Amino acid sequence: MKKSKTNESNKFNLWLLAWPIFIEQFLQFLLGSVDTLMVSRISDNAVAVVGFSNQLFNALTTLFATVASGAGIVIAQKIGSRLQEDARTVGIICFKVTIAIGLALSVLLIAFSRPIAKMLQLPDELLPLADTYIPIVGGGMILIAAIAVLGTAIRNTGNTKGPMIIAVGMNVIHIVMNYGFIFGAYGFPQLGLAGVAISTVTSRLIATVVLFVIFLGAFERKIKFSDFRIFDRKLFKEVLQIGWPLGINSANWVFSQLAIFSFLAMLGSTELAARTYMNTLESFCFLLGFSLALAAQIQIAHLYGAGKTREAYRAAYKVLAVGLPLVAVNAFILVVFGTHVLRLFTQDADILALCVVLLWMNLMLQPGKMVNMALGNSLNAVGDTRYTMKISLIFMWVVATGCSYLLGVSLGWGIVAIYSCMIADEYIRGVLSYFRWRGRKYLRKKEEEIQKEQEQCAAEVRLAL
């Protein structure tokens, strides 16, 4: 038993959890960067469409983020509490629900891609490209749903290496197929943006199949196909109690970003392309910080489930101590070398001039993001998801989105004003999350529960004697 506990403890070590997540996230970043670089060989308009479409897809993923995110936290908590069968059941139920949502979204995007693009203010000159890209990649939303729930479930069992290895394979397949379809290499037909879309869906399909195989053996008792008939209302309710605020929180961020992309589209295709290129570069700044924050969420949920509240409390500050210097250094490196990297993507002087200004603003943005990632994930891990939801509802829409429209579009101050509003939002929510975590509200509740259980056990022992 001691050996088993030691192995499980090592399995949930922060660094052992974090480094595979980092490799996976880095490869996803590489995938996005290479994708953008290759698409830029088609045209800057194609880049703008891919960036716009990805914001749309991210927005729609929030519809199953409620289930996937809640499932991950509950699985880690159940394993920490040594309730392995409950963790297994949660994984099965949430897979079924998420797949159903993903299928509905696939049908929606295939059938209504043009009306959706128009509704979101995509410039008319970009609509023909959107007609090509959105139905193909959007039709694969069921695959995005599957990857999200399977990857989350597997990681929260402590196995972060599996999704990492699959990310490697998915990246290799995607890059090779992208090159083939864009340049007509390796005997592939030269299909341009349509080829990029086909490559994306194909690589995701292969990743989904392999993740599913790993998922079947991820828990203490292997999952059989007959087990997919299982549905436990009590456990699913527990997932939703944690997950629905996470889903709204995620929706707030993604839909606010989608709104901001719409504002940029109103400003013009130059601003839209600049933001798309900056999205790619900004990812470099917080990759390791985000990986640490995600690993901390898994670790803290496990510690919380095991009743180790002091260790859980300190874990959040350990992440901040490492993550803040990392993102600051990475952002400064990007200021120094970012212009040279951008020239690999575009030679448009107007886009480059905008991006140079945004690189300096990114130096201010990233520390605020790091605080939100570390402390927001820590709050979510212990079940305090309603608080992060509330501050997101208020400040993302009032500060990040509302003020972006007022200052950037209405007053005509442009993309610099929009970035300034995004920076203000990150710091306000970061400070509020810090004071919430410092208050230890949910950790104290857990300590009280443990004390009551101990007192009840002691009383039962006395009665037995």
Side-chain angles (χ1 to χ4, degrees), residues 36-37 40-41 44 273-282 334-335 337-348 351-359:
T36 305
L37 181 60
S40 70
R41 295 297 179 264
D44 285 328
R275 176 58 182 154
T276 301
Y277 289 129
M278 280 300 300
N279 266 354
T280 301
L281 292 185
E282 284 173 17
L334 204 56
V335 168
F337 298 104
T339 307
H340 303 291
V341 176
L342 283 166
R343 288 199 178 97
L344 296 173
F345 295 90
T346 183
Q347 297 297 319
D348 188 294
I351 293 174
L352 288 170
L354 275 179
C355 286
V356 168
V357 176
L358 299 181
L359 284 170

Side-chain angles (χ1 to χ4, degrees), residues 18-242:
W19 76 261
I21 294 174
F22 169 70
I23 298 297
E24 182 185 351
Q25 294 299 318
F26 177 76
L27 287 168
Q28 294 297 337
F29 162 71
L30 181 65
L31 171 66
S33 301
V34 172
D35 210 20
T36 305
L37 181 60
M38 288 182 170
V39 173
S40 70
R41 295 297 179 264
I42 301 172
S43 69
D44 285 328
N45 280 350
V47 171
V49 166
V50 171
F52 179 89
S53 301
N54 286 340
Q55 289 297 318
L56 170 62
F57 301 148
N58 288 339
L60 293 174
T61 59
T62 60
L63 295 174
F64 51 75
T66 295
V67 179
S69 302
I73 291 171
V74 172
I75 286 169
Q77 288 182 355
K78 294 297 182 186
I79 292 174
S81 302
R82 305 203 173 279
L83 299 171
Q84 291 281 353
E85 279 298 304
D86 283 356
R88 179 179 180 272
T89 302
V90 167
I92 293 168
I93 294 169
C94 294
F95 172 75
K96 294 191 296 183
V97 174
T98 305
I99 286 296
I101 298 170
L103 179 61
L105 292 176
S106 291
V107 173
L108 176 72
L109 287 170
I110 291 170
F112 301 105
S113 59
R114 171 63 75 100
I116 291 171
K118 281 187 170 182
M119 181 181 69
L120 295 173
Q121 305 296 319
L122 188 69
D124 289 341
E125 67 268 22
L126 301 182
L127 287 174
L129 288 172
D131 288 341
T132 299
Y133 190 78
I134 293 177
I136 298 173
V137 179
M141 282 297 291
I142 187 172
L143 302 176
I144 299 175
I147 290 170
V149 71
L150 292 172
T152 300
I154 292 166
R155 282 188 211 96
N156 281 274
T157 64
N159 176 13
T160 53
K161 291 182 183 177
M164 175 200 72
I165 293 168
I166 291 166
V168 173
M170 186 170 73
N171 273 272
V172 171
I173 293 167
H174 183 67
I175 291 168
V176 170
M177 290 185 69
N178 254 12
Y179 188 83
F181 279 124
I182 291 173
F183 302 105
Y186 315 127
F188 283 81
Q190 193 169 357
L191 298 179
L193 192 60
V196 173
I198 293 169
S199 167
T200 301
V201 172
T202 303
S203 61
R204 284 175 178 167
L205 175 61
I206 295 169
T208 299
V209 172
V210 181
L211 277 170
F212 183 72
V213 172
I214 294 175
F215 173 72
L216 293 177
F219 299 92
E220 203 170 67
R221 187 163 65 90
K222 189 172 181 179
I223 296 172
K224 299 176 183 178
F225 283 97
S226 58
D227 292 327
F228 284 96
R229 291 176 296 184
I230 294 172
F231 195 90
D232 187 310
R233 288 178 180 271
K234 184 180 177 183
L235 284 174
F236 188 59
K237 184 178 178 181
E238 194 173 336
V239 169
L240 291 181
Q241 283 176 341
I242 290 178

